[in-house]
Amino acid sequence: MWTARLVRAGERYEQAVFGGDVKSLDEAEPDLAALEADVVLARARILHARFLAW
């Protein structure tokens, strides 16, 4: 799931830099926002598990 988002963002970067398709950068934003949400959720779960263990 998260790896696909990261790969797509990388591909869109390459499309913009090497192919001149700057519009693809706009398409990368939702994937990166979702990836950030995945990281925040994972951190919250770890924090919750630490709280329960305490």
Side-chain angles (χ1 to χ4, degrees), residues 2-22:
W2 63 269
T3 54
R5 291 178 178 142
L6 192 56
V7 167
R8 281 193 305 265
E11 290 170 349
R12 289 174 177 146
Y13 162 80
E14 290 181 7
Q15 289 170 352
V17 172
F18 301 114
D21 181 13
V22 180

Side-chain angles (χ1 to χ4, degrees), residues 10-52:
E11 290 170 349
R12 289 174 177 146
Y13 162 80
E14 290 181 7
Q15 289 170 352
V17 172
F18 301 114
D21 181 13
V22 180
K23 178 77 173 158
S24 66
L25 295 177
D26 293 335
E27 297 169 0
E29 290 296 331
D31 279 336
L32 292 176
L35 184 58
E36 286 175 326
D38 290 341
V39 170
V40 169
L41 182 59
R43 287 186 187 274
R45 287 180 172 160
I46 289 171
L47 182 61
H48 182 244
R50 289 184 192 273
F51 171 76
L52 293 175

